[in-house]
């Protein structure tokens, strides 16, 4: 059974954590009254608010802070665009079908599942303790029910372990060979499976009524940004470097999605495409601002040694050691880290893992994932790749669009060059239809050859050249041809920018944030018989779904006016609040809002009606202070904006020690 | 040629207005380097910012203001859900194919286009002036090139005009009959078209690898909200009424989209489903807050008379006259109006048009559209329908899910009822396999029949009843059956809520807002030879893409520090700004930002470096004031928050009259 580790180090079975999230409607399986469909989830009210706040922070942290050019493109993408990008051909997983039952397995998962089950059976037969690898277990589609306690040869054990370590590296042919070699069958029935075939992960559809125009739902937002490059460069008044950004849904038709929000068929992405001149080492103007920031790195070499130990160092050092390829990539790794910190991700459960050479696309220069640890193991939540000039180059080649930058050189480029010219007026009548072939042949001569020929022309008064297609040679007199050295000055430079792409999976970040924010209080004895664990989600105020809960002590109508005044005052300060005037005890109302992650609570009581004072409760400590409405509202505003902490508020305002009424 | 009317009454050809929008990248055809695909558009940086600001205002105005329960559901929707909702069967347009050319026409558009062309030809033949109906023209797929100047019979003219007036009412069969009757052909080639067939407007796809699970991209966000009704009611602690809301992309595979952003294949919707008790007249607790608000109505009766005159009255009066069906519907019409006003829509170009009976779905109780006027005519931008209990009822019936409300009655319901009971212990052995049929038959008897039978039983000591399936009769002695009148008390009440649905097309609102915000200044003479019209987009600061443009007088490095301080100060106040330090004149930089709709500009000059003062420019008047940085920043903040206007600022701060350097 997978276990969620709370931020205070408590262990909770994931099933009970999940039930909190469903009970409070953070998210829920979509279309559940129709039986549910795997890989599709709905966000409920607190999930939506969390999502909106995180996206808002993302926009401020990245787009506004760096004047990025946001674009919003359709999810529906014509086939031609995704053919060019390579997705139609390559964006696939390998699947195996059981022809008897019709079941479909993801081939790598099937191999993994069966071999792991056999290794477990072996351990059992050897009387060893079985350590359940939660992370891998959770990734499995279907548990192998019958782990037979069969002892394997030591050599076989080693072979299986090597296969499992390299499971991400096999293609369909390799996986098919493994299935044959190790006699891997349908784990449920023992039946044979067919050899792996590629299954494209894009959802396919038709655009328009003709049935002639195929389209896909985009698997990433990036292509919409690339095809707009020339317009964005114009909008940026030709300034380089610059970044575009997109926040929107992407779609992947997973073969068999599981792991809750971590592997879904429709998901929100936030992607940046930072366009940078490939010359000059991809420096970043603001790198100095972040170079001192320390990150936990798991680099390629460490992984090649089969290890997972973390190297902690500053991003400045990592770039200077060339572990991280360049400043721009390093700058974004640090900025990603700051963003995750800001929204409440636990830095102790964050690491930056470098892609192995065979994990990356062939064109990528370097790639790092921000991996966050949860009960599902270490999960890629942000990717940060240097995609080189690949995408712009292929789209430009396919369409002829000028997806490049033309810059005036600081210093004009000066050089000498041999140039040849045929006198076409004379050559035409003389050579007739050969004239063009001769002209082409001359223009294709190398600088070396031209130099040689110019000498020949000066010495002999003629040259003879070969016509490539026909292998005939023709003789050209000096009145027909000139070969001269010219001084050339080039004032502009053209280049295709490279792209650094930080790419965020917002749903994965949200799920991890929920785990990282979670802990529980033991139920108090006072509540009759109520000793259950009381969950708390300690979101930072900045992303909390609701900032303030307003609680009247009872349904006494006198409290109504005070509540209205409070709500209006907070709204004017830009702070969202919510009233809970249900008839249950204040303690229960606060407990509900602790599960919703509401950081502050304000209680209106009889005293409030008399002297306009209210109590303010802190979610995490349950401590309370009391002051007049204005003071309390300002204190909340300051904490919500992140300018002060609860500790500051507690120092300034008198504590209120009356017990919560349970 | 369609003409855009500016907010100052100036007329501009739409093509030049469109070119401003494209030049400033508000939006642009998607995948244009691949030739473009109709009905798909990208928002560029200012378009995205406008979109984000409008969605943010929408969330505040509706969701936060009324504690609505936001949900975010997938666009991918399983077929079964959309079969239940009726979309698989009915969400279609009629199309005609030309079998020779393969061209496909939307049938109603084809009829409209051809008949209008003939009417024009008739006018020409009669020597009348042809008034081009811009709105209808723009809606057409393909202009009929050869308007022949043929005079028609007066009766035919009248017939055509009647058909055109009712064009939205015809189904496929009707349209097919019109095509035959009026000999309507492919306008380009004169070739015959096939009879209309239904084309479902949903994009179809397969979910998962099996090919067995069909899905569609949702055509509206509503269904995701309905299927979650029971969970939302729980989340709301059983409180009624309440509303859910969703902001997300929807998809319609239009047959031949045109009209720019007004008819697209993928679009952002913001939808509210307000669930209300159908009993008690659908009152709304906050109706009093809005009842004085006056709206321009175009009601059903006026339209039935073939007129379009507006009735202006308060929403309170409209509801009390029953022109608007109920308070809740009326409340939302007023709230929609306030929202549109807030973001800058021209109230003089806003009207609320009631649907005709045949426009509405059969289950709808009433429906009003907020229509906004633009160069494309009056366009539905917000719909507000009373969908009755239809959706919840069909989903509940299909799935068995409890999509209803159970409430404790204020007063228990008391009544008397005849009840029948079979003594099963005795009946079982006696009737064997018929026992169940007898029990069922008894339980299906009406109250009237039970009363009669009770009398018979008392008088004769037995009754005989018919077994429906077999038509046999059986006799039951009084020891086997009792029929008695019981006092019943029912404490709870179950009902399926009705739904009031305000539904916003964000893209259409954005396009209209662009038109409503637009006007131009004549170019000044001073700029050498520069007398072009200078476009301005006068967005309210609250939705403007960028709030402040920061402009250094020149590239003098002394200005850098002042600019940084300004930017930081504004960011702390939560105001987005952007620096333009390009080398063109200040006048040109401001002109660019007038086109982008940036309401304020701050110029940093040599004086600023000395005494920390800067000038603040107003976009609409181009007037300037001067004060120290703090004062200027606070003035901006206050105007951006809508607390003060430029007139207030101008009164308080000294004017700065130095000319802009063109």
């Amino acid at each position: 059974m997978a276990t969620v580790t709370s931020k205070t180090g408590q262990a909770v079975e994931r099933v009970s954590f999940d039930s909190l999230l469903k009970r409070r409607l953070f998210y829920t399986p979509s279309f559940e009254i129709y039986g549910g469909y795997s890989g599709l989830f709905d966000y409920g009210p607190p999930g939506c608010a969390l999502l909106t706040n995180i996206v808002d922070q993302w926009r401020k942290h990245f787009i506004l802070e760096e004047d990025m050019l946001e674009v919003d493109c359709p999810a529906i993408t014509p086939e031609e665009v995704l053919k060019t990008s390579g997705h139609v051909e390559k964006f696939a997983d390998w699947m195996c079908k059981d022809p008897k039952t019709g079941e479909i397995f993801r081939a790598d998962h099937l191999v993994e599942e069966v071999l792991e089950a056999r290794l477990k059976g072996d351990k059992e037969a050897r009387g060893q303790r079985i350590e359940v690898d939660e992370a891998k277990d959770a990734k499995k589609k279907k548990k192998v029910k019958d782990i037979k306690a069969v002892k394997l040869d030591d050599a076989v054990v080693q072979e299986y372990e090597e296969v499992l370590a390299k499971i991400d590296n096999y293609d369909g042919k390799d996986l098919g060979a493994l299935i044959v070699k190790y006699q891997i069958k349908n784990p449920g029935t023992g039946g044979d499976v067919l050899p792996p075939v590629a299954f494209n992960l894009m959802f396919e559809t038709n655009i328009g009524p003709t049935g002639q125009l195929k389209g896909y739902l985009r698997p990433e937002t990036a292509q919409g940004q690339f095809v707009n490059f020339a317009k964005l460069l114009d909008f940026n008044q030709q300034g380089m470097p610059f970044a575009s950004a997109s926040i929107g849904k992407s779609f992947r038709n997973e073969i068999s999605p599981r792991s809750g929000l971590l592997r879904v068929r429709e998901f929100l992405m936030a992607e940046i495409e930072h366009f940078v001149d490939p010359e000059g080492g991809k420096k970043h103007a603001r790198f100095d601002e972040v170079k001192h920031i320390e990150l936990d790195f798991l680099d390629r070499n460490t992984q090649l040694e089969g290890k997972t130990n973390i190297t902690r160092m500053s991003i400045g050092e990592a770039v200077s050691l060339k572990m991280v390829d360049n400043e721009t990539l390093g700058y974004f790794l640090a900025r990603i880290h700051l963003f995750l910190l800001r929204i409440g991700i636990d830095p102790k459960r964050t690491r930056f893992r470098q892609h192995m050479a065979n994990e990356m696309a062939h064109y990528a220069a370097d790639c790092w994932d921000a991996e966050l640890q949860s009960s599902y193991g270490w999960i890629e939540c942000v990717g940060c790749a240097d995609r080189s000039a690949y995408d712009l180059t292929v789209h430009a080649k396919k369409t002829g669009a000028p997806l490049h930058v033309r810059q005036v050189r600081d210093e004009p480029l000066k050089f000498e060059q041999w140039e040849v010219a045929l006198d076409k007026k004379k050559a035409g009548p003389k050579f007739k239809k050969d004239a063009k072939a001769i002209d082409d042949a001359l223009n294709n001569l190398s600088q070396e050859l031209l130099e040689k020929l110019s000498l020949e022309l000066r010495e002999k008064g003629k040259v003879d050249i070969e016509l490539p297609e026909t292998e005939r040679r023709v003789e050209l007199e000096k009145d027909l041809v000139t070969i001269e050295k010219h001084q050339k000055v080039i004032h502009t430079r053209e280049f295709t920018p490279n792209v650094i792409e930080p790419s965020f999976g917002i749903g994965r970040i949200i799920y991890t944030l929920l785990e990282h924010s979670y802990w529980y209080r033991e139920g108090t004895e006072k509540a009759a018989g109520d000793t259950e664990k009381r969950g708390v989600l300690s979101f930072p105020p900045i992303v909390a779904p609701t900032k303030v809960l307003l609680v009247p002590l009872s349904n006494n109508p006198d409290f109504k006016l005070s509540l209205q005044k409070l709500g209006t005052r907070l709204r004017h300060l830009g702070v969202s609040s919510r009233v809970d005037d249900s008839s249950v005890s204040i303690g229960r109302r606060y407990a509900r809002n602790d599960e919703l992650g509401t950081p502050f609570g304000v209680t209106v009581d009889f005293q409030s009606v008399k002297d306009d004072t209210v109590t303010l409760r802190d979610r995490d400590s349950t401590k309370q202070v009391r002051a007049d409405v204005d003071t309390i509202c300002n204190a909340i505003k300051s904490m919500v904006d992140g300018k002060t902490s609860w500790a500051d508020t507690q120092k300034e305002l008198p504590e209120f020690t009356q017990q919560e009424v349970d």
Side-chain angles (χ1 to χ4, degrees), chain A residues 613-657:
Chain A
T613 64
V614 289
T615 61
L616 171 63
R617 172 190 184 266
D618 171 51
R619 172 196 60 206
D620 295 349
S621 65
T622 72
K623 297 282 185 205
Q624 300 189 65
V625 294
R626 188 162 190 119
D628 64 276
V629 168
D630 274 2
T631 307
I632 293 289
C633 288
N634 289 333
I636 291 172
K637 167 73 175 160
S638 171
M639 290 188 287
V640 165
D641 287 350
K643 288 176 184 159
T644 54
S645 66
W646 174 253
D648 299 324
T649 302
Q650 232 181 340
K651 254 178 252 163
E652 274 181 28
L653 302 179
E655 191 170 356
F656 182 71
T657 52

Side-chain angles (χ1 to χ4, degrees), chain A residues 97-313:
Chain A
K97 189 170 179 174
D98 178 334
K100 283 216 184 101
T101 64
E103 280 171 285
I104 289 173
F105 301 93
R106 205 173 118 174
D108 55 343
H109 287 183
L110 178 66
V111 170
E112 197 175 30
E113 183 179 355
V114 171
L115 296 192
E116 278 175 1
R118 290 183 190 166
L119 286 174
K120 265 187 217 162
D122 170 68
K123 278 196 175 180
E124 215 176 307
R126 290 172 192 243
Q128 294 172 353
R129 188 170 153 270
I130 298 171
E131 284 174 38
V132 178
D133 184 327
E134 301 287 0
K136 285 198 173 155
D137 249 18
K139 275 163 80 183
K140 260 178 245 155
K141 184 195 172 185
K142 184 166 188 173
K143 298 281 187 296
V144 179
K145 291 285 187 325
D146 51 345
I147 303 180
K148 289 192 195 108
V150 175
K151 188 173 176 303
L152 305 169
D153 284 351
D154 288 359
V156 171
V157 169
Q158 202 190 325
E159 219 176 304
Y160 282 7
E161 279 169 352
E162 280 170 13
V163 167
L164 289 171
K166 291 188 288 185
I167 193 73
D168 290 340
N169 296 350
Y170 298 112
D171 66 12
K173 222 174 113 190
D174 300 336
L175 290 166
L178 291 171
I179 286 169
V180 171
K181 183 173 178 192
Y182 298 126
Q183 295 196 295
I184 289 170
K185 313 278 180 186
N186 179 339
T189 64
D192 283 327
V193 298
L194 297 176
V197 294
F199 174 68
N200 194 296
L201 295 178
M202 293 192 294
F203 286 97
E204 196 179 313
T205 193
N206 279 309
I207 305 174
T210 63
Q212 307 294 306
L213 183 56
K214 212 195 236 185
Y216 296 95
L217 299 184
R218 64 178 175 199
E220 57 174 20
T221 71
Q223 300 307 323
Q225 301 181 57
F226 296 138
V227 298
N228 274 318
F229 175 75
K231 292 175 191 170
L232 291 167
L233 182 65
D234 264 355
F235 185 83
N236 208 42
Q237 301 172 292
Q238 311 301 319
M240 280 287 294
F242 75 92
S244 63
S246 238
I247 303 168
K249 289 275 179 76
S250 293
F251 300 80
R252 295 188 187 179
N253 199 4
E254 297 285 348
I255 291 174
S256 56
R258 40 244 157 100
S259 316
L261 284 189
L262 297 181
R263 188 166 294 278
V264 294
R265 286 178 164 149
E266 180 171 340
F267 49 95
L268 191 67
M269 287 183 102
E271 289 192 305
I272 295 163
E273 311 297 335
H274 181 92
F275 300 99
V276 58
D277 189 337
E279 281 187 18
K282 305 183 190 176
K283 300 275 180 204
H284 194 287
R286 296 177 69 174
F287 188 68
D288 275 358
E289 294 175 30
V290 302
K291 68 179 181 191
H292 65 283
I293 292 171
E294 292 200 335
L295 303 178
D296 284 346
F297 293 102
L298 172 55
D299 71 316
R300 187 180 294 154
N301 293 334
T302 307
Q303 294 171 72
L304 275 177
E305 292 166 15
K307 294 177 190 160
T308 56
N309 27 332
I310 291 302
T311 311
R312 187 165 180 84
M313 65 170 85

Side-chain angles (χ1 to χ4, degrees), chain A residues 24-27 42-58 268 343 506 510 513-514 539-548 576-578 596-599:
Chain A
R24 295 308 172 204
L25 219 49
F26 277 91
Y27 64 89
D42 298 339
Y43 289 96
C48 280
L50 200 56
L51 186 77
T52 302
N53 294 343
I54 287 173
V55 167
D56 184 49
Q57 287 304 317
W58 194 90
L268 191 67
I343 62 167
I506 301 293
I510 285 181
L513 176 62
L514 287 164
F539 303 122
I542 208 166
V543 298
T546 303
K547 312 304 181 199
V548 190
S576 71
S577 66
R578 198 171 269 268
L596 286 165
T598 311

